[in-house]
Amino acid sequence: METLPEEVVPLPRWSPALRRAVIRVRPEYFTWSREQRERYAGVRPKKDFERLDAALCVELFGAKERTGRKSRPEEDHLTIAEQNVFNEAILPLTGIGEDSFYLNDVLPKRKTLSDFANLREFDESDFRFQEAMRRKEDATYAGKPYHGALYLAWARLFVDGVFTYATLSMGAGYLYSHLDEAASELIRTRIPHRYVPGKNHGKVEGDQWQWDERVDAAGQEGVLEELQRQVYAYLNERYHALLSASDARGTCGVYLVNTSVPDENNLHIVFSDTRALAAVRFPSFLRDCRVIERPAEELQRTAGREVGALTRLIQDKHEELLRTFDPKVVRLRKRLRIMVHKNAFDDVE
């Protein structure tokens, strides 16, 4: 059977709307090799993609084409449903590999996902960069060993042909996110509280206004603050302990946790350790994940045990504070003054 030249092989999942938009902006795209196309999508030349976004909006929604900084779809006040349509339509261009995988993250200059052999190489590169920045800001920072750093990273891909939003995390990060959410609710149950405007809330200075809210805990503000401090210190310590322990075990597994909501497909992809990261390549992302997939119930059972331990800890800490807390002893802490630009929430629905 004769093989077609690469440039005339049909591009998978490309809609007529996307083809027309690319023909309008960059017609020579269809003569490029796969490597050239993926590098172009990864580098995303700003002027090209502003025009591509605008042209695709015209094709999809009949919107009047605009140019310049206001041409991006998120600034065109698309509804959530329209944003989903747009994101699905453009993904075959911006994503790579079998699943049109796209990672919504900042990459090093002139780097694309195709430059990384696997997910671990990308993750460790980002971790080393962040560690260097921490040392630059704090000369006393001793650094931490690398045990995987992915935490609630956003991605998009096609899962068995279905457009899906994905979140990528290490197992320890996934558990930490559950513990963090549970901690807020457990503390609120033991010490009911709410945030109320302070005396300077909303005070305008030039084109900014001050955010000043304080906690009202019916006289238990001091106990609440100390309980929160102790609990979140525990969470931070537990997160790093889980990272280290998971990497030492070397499970090398991936958990695919369905987090879909009505009218939107979502998947939390959780990696047990750095071995799992090394086993997953971007061009064959989902296929590689499924090779080492483990039951999501296994992860949920671990989350249940961790939340149970946290529940007992919060109960013990609270009861201890009720016996020993001295309101006359005030912990010194730096008070932050938060200023918000007057237009900061203009696009928040």
Side-chain angles (χ1 to χ4, degrees):
M1 181 176 178
E2 184 179 356
T3 302
L4 291 172
E6 184 178 26
E7 59 267 22
V8 298
V9 174
L11 297 170
R13 307 186 189 95
W14 277 60
S15 66
L18 180 58
R19 288 180 179 274
R20 288 192 295 266
V22 174
I23 287 171
R24 182 182 303 183
V25 174
R26 187 59 65 185
E28 63 269 34
Y29 173 92
F30 298 98
T31 68
W32 294 344
S33 67
R34 177 180 59 81
E35 290 77 13
Q36 287 175 301
R37 293 194 298 261
E38 289 188 347
R39 179 154 296 278
Y40 173 75
V43 174
R44 293 177 64 88
K46 183 178 179 181
K47 289 186 178 179
D48 271 23
F49 272 82
E50 284 181 347
R51 294 177 60 207
L52 278 166
D53 289 351
L56 186 56
C57 279
V58 172
E59 294 291 341
L60 294 173
F61 313 116
K64 182 180 179 181
E65 184 168 359
R66 302 190 294 177
T67 57
R69 65 176 293 276
K70 288 287 188 180
S71 63
R72 295 189 65 77
E74 59 266 30
E75 299 185 50
D76 280 337
H77 302 290
L78 299 181
T79 66
I80 296 298
E82 288 172 336
Q83 288 177 20
N84 291 341
V85 170
F86 177 90
N87 289 338
E88 179 175 358
I90 203 169
L91 186 59
L93 169 65
T94 56
I96 69 169
E98 301 170 5
D99 318 302
S100 298
F101 182 88
Y102 173 77
L103 187 62
N104 190 20
D105 206 343
V106 178
L107 298 178
K109 191 174 183 179
R110 308 305 296 177
K111 284 272 193 177
T112 72
L113 289 184
S114 300
D115 294 318
F116 297 97
N118 50 50
L119 186 54
R120 172 178 175 150
E121 190 173 295
F122 163 79
D123 185 54
E124 187 167 4
S125 172
D126 183 65
F127 172 81
R128 301 299 178 198
F129 173 79
Q130 298 298 336
E131 285 286 279
M133 291 299 101
R134 294 182 187 105
R135 290 190 182 94
K136 186 176 180 180
E137 294 174 0
D138 180 4
T140 65
Y141 178 67
K144 291 184 173 64
Y146 174 70
H147 295 301
L150 271 181
Y151 180 64
L152 303 182
W154 292 354
R156 300 169 193 157
L157 73 162
F158 288 97
V159 177
D160 299 326
V162 178
F163 175 70
T164 302
Y165 292 104
T167 304
L168 277 55
S169 294
M170 301 305 299
Y174 177 85
L175 295 172
Y176 175 86
S177 68
H178 275 256
L179 290 172
D180 185 54
E181 183 178 355
S184 296
E185 292 304 315
L186 289 166
I187 291 173
R188 189 179 297 276
T189 298
R190 299 201 70 86
I191 308 178
H193 59 278
R194 61 194 181 103
Y195 289 88
V196 298
K199 63 179 181 180
N200 293 318
H201 189 65
K203 184 178 179 181
V204 177
E205 294 183 18
D207 60 356
Q208 297 182 325
W209 57 274
Q210 187 169 350
W211 184 285
D212 176 27
E213 290 195 342
R214 62 180 181 83
V215 175
D216 178 3
Q220 295 295 303
E221 290 80 11
V223 174
L224 172 64
E225 182 178 1
E226 181 59 20
L227 179 61
Q228 289 174 328
R229 187 191 68 79
Q230 293 184 20
V231 168
Y232 289 109
Y234 165 82
L235 292 185
N236 182 62
E237 179 183 321
R238 189 62 187 146
Y239 167 68
H240 290 290
L242 287 166
L243 264 182
S244 177
S246 297
D247 214 34
R249 278 195 301 273
T251 302
C252 190
V254 172
Y255 303 95
L256 303 178
V257 184
N258 188 343
T259 56
S260 298
V261 295
D263 301 320
E264 187 174 288
N265 296 297
N266 292 284
L267 188 66
H268 202 148
I269 305 174
V270 183
F271 300 87
S272 63
D273 50 44
T274 56
R275 291 170 182 79
L277 296 180
V280 176
R281 300 157 295 176
F282 291 112
S284 51
F285 185 87
L286 191 61
R287 176 157 54 92
D288 290 350
C289 286
R290 283 174 167 162
V291 168
I292 56 174
E293 182 179 1
R294 299 178 68 89
E297 294 76 17
E298 182 178 290
L299 185 63
Q300 306 296 4
R301 286 194 296 271
T302 302
R305 289 194 296 269
E306 290 292 332
V307 171
L310 175 66
T311 302
R312 293 187 293 274
L313 177 131
I314 290 176
Q315 177 179 332
D316 293 344
K317 294 288 187 184
H318 183 219
E319 291 175 352
E320 181 182 358
L321 284 171
L322 291 177
R323 294 192 306 269
T324 64
F325 182 76
D326 185 352
K328 296 190 290 296
V329 178
V330 179
R331 181 180 295 273
L332 294 177
R333 60 186 176 88
K334 186 177 181 179
R335 292 188 177 275
L336 300 178
R337 186 166 177 262
I338 303 174
M339 303 301 295
V340 182
H341 191 276
K342 63 180 181 182
N343 299 325
F345 300 122
D346 284 358
D347 292 330
V348 178
E349 297 181 0

